[in-house]
Amino acid sequence: MNRLQTENANLIAANEELKTSKTDTEEVQTALAEIKEDLDETKMEKSEIQEYLDIERVKNSDLQSEIENCRNEIQEEKEQCLQTTQALTIDLERTEDEKEAIETRMSNNERDLEKLKFENEKCFGREKNSLMVLSGYKSQTEFLSYVLKPDGSESPRTIKIPSSKNGDHYLFASISALIRGKIYIFGEGSNIDYGLRIRMISWCGIKELDVKLNNNYYFGSSVVTAADQQSALICFPDDENFKKCEEFDGSAVSIKPATKYSHRDSCLALYKNQPVAVSSELSDGYKKVEKFDGASWTEMEDFPKAILVHSCIGVFDGYLLLGGSYQENNKYYSIKDVYLLRNSRWTVVGRLNEYHWYSSATRIGNTIYLVSGKKEPFAVEKLEWDGEKISSAKVVNNHSSKFYRPIIFPVDEFYCT
């Protein structure tokens, strides 16, 4: 009996295990069905991905073809560009050769034209072998106007001088320069309110321009014409420094770099085609020499003396300084020496007959005219330059009164007649 009960209990337990196992089997089957469903979906997604990849592969192949085509086109264009560049280079070289040939012909034509012009003027007695002298003093009516002929004789000229509101004559203490064949006058008299003005000499008259300077120029100022005569450098306006500069090209004014030292009552002239200023009346510029290269001023060898109110002029490979006065031990001494700046050295190469202050100098060939300003007897000296020294110096005229920096320029002896 007990054995049967035990077996029955075992059978019941086995039946329960069977039920449990069936349940587990059903769950496994359900899970397998879900896995199969997921697998089918994965297969579908894989198929879609494969289809997408096939499409992208085709696109990539097309893109690679386009890139290759572009590369080929770029290479062709590069080769064409290189050929065009080579052709242009050849044309440019040919053009440069033609340009050089044209410039040479133009230069030769200009020389021939100048020669013909000179010969024509010479045939008619019109060569510029005389000197126009024009200056003013401290009154509206007192001014100087004459032509100095080659023989030293003086021939009066009438120059139409416009009126001025300035109490002094506007030619008094003004400065002048030659630009593109025309004489320009900078500043006016001794009144700083009029020192901005620019005037031009037009045959037998003077007219004022609309353009104005940036600074006031009169006492102590200087000017020099550029080597190509296309402009003038105007420097040392009447202020506390006497260092500023500006340039005028016949129509417009532009500011230029200032000097390091002051150069009041100095003088500007060209040395090897570069403007050079020498010394000053003010102590910070005593003996100081500076040259301008178009961009900046450079200090040079000092002048031997604290010179001022001197004159200067450029000669071939040199710079001549004439007359003036110098300061030493708080005293002023006038000099008649002519100094030459060459190879950065100053040497005495001549001597004047008279003392000269605030004079003006110009050159006609190898003849230098020094027209006196303030110092008596107000002489006009004619100097001959042989390339190394002043070979002769003689007084050819005297003024009746003192003037400051007379306006002088070469003319033919019939100028303004």
Side-chain angles (χ1 to χ4, degrees), residues 337-352:
D337 291 330
V338 177
Y339 285 83
L340 170 67
L341 171 62
R342 179 173 286 171
N343 299 326
S344 300
R345 293 180 61 248
W346 290 99
T347 55
V348 176
V349 293
R351 188 167 176 82
L352 305 171

Side-chain angles (χ1 to χ4, degrees), residues 26-269:
E26 290 176 350
E27 289 178 352
V28 168
Q29 288 177 345
T30 300
L32 288 173
E34 291 176 352
I35 290 171
K36 182 179 180 182
E37 183 178 352
D38 290 341
L39 182 59
D40 291 338
E41 290 179 355
T42 300
K43 288 181 178 179
M44 291 178 64
E45 290 177 356
K46 181 178 179 181
S47 176
E48 291 175 354
I49 290 171
Q50 185 64 43
E51 183 180 354
Y52 175 77
L53 289 175
D54 291 340
I55 294 171
E56 290 300 317
R57 190 176 292 108
V58 172
K59 289 182 178 179
N60 185 58
S61 177
D62 293 341
L63 183 60
Q64 289 293 334
S65 298
E66 291 180 4
I67 291 173
E68 188 63 27
N69 291 335
C70 287
R71 284 176 178 170
N72 293 334
E73 290 177 0
I74 290 173
Q75 183 63 30
E76 290 177 359
E77 291 179 358
K78 181 178 178 181
E79 291 176 356
Q80 291 178 358
C81 184
L82 180 60
Q83 293 175 358
T84 303
T85 301
Q86 292 173 345
L88 288 174
T89 301
I90 294 172
D91 290 341
L92 180 61
E93 291 175 352
R94 185 183 300 114
T95 301
E96 288 294 331
D97 292 339
E98 293 174 352
K99 179 183 177 183
E100 184 176 351
I102 291 172
E103 288 178 347
T104 300
R105 289 199 301 271
M106 287 179 63
S107 178
N108 292 336
N109 289 339
E110 288 176 357
R111 285 198 301 268
D112 292 342
L113 180 61
E114 287 298 319
K115 182 178 180 181
L116 288 172
K117 181 179 177 182
F118 175 79
E119 290 176 350
N120 181 63
E121 289 179 344
K122 188 174 182 180
C123 288
F124 291 95
R126 307 290 286 185
E127 70 271 22
K128 294 182 178 180
N129 59 358
S130 301
L131 191 68
M132 182 67 203
V133 180
L134 179 65
S135 190
Y137 194 52
K138 288 189 174 182
S139 72
Q140 289 288 343
T141 58
E142 187 178 356
F143 66 95
L144 188 70
S145 177
Y146 71 88
V147 166
L148 182 69
K149 296 182 179 181
D151 60 5
S153 62
E154 179 181 317
S155 179
R157 292 291 187 270
T158 300
I159 302 294
K160 296 178 181 179
I161 305 292
S163 62
S164 172
K165 295 180 181 179
N166 187 4
D168 296 332
H169 197 290
Y170 68 77
L171 294 179
F172 174 66
S174 61
I175 51 179
S176 63
L178 174 70
I179 304 173
R180 301 180 184 182
K182 298 178 181 179
I183 300 296
Y184 291 88
I185 303 170
F186 305 101
E188 179 176 344
S190 59
N191 189 326
I192 62 174
D193 294 332
Y194 296 90
L196 303 175
R197 302 192 181 195
I198 302 176
R199 288 184 167 91
M200 181 183 72
I201 296 179
S202 179
W203 190 236
C204 296
I206 299 176
K207 65 178 182 179
E208 184 173 342
L209 306 185
D210 292 331
V211 63
K212 296 291 187 294
L213 297 165
N214 293 285
N215 301 287
N216 287 289
Y217 295 89
Y218 63 109
F219 280 117
S221 303
S222 299
V223 63
V224 62
T225 300
D228 60 4
Q229 296 191 354
Q230 298 300 298
S231 63
L233 184 68
I234 310 149
C235 292
F236 321 134
D238 190 88
D239 59 15
E240 70 279 6
N241 295 318
F242 290 88
K243 298 178 180 179
K244 298 176 183 177
C245 290
E246 51 194 291
E247 185 180 56
F248 177 65
D249 63 4
S251 60
V253 176
S254 58
I255 297 295
K256 292 298 178 181
T259 56
K260 180 179 179 181
Y261 302 100
S262 74
H263 290 286
R264 180 177 182 176
D265 289 328
S266 178
C267 181
L268 281 173

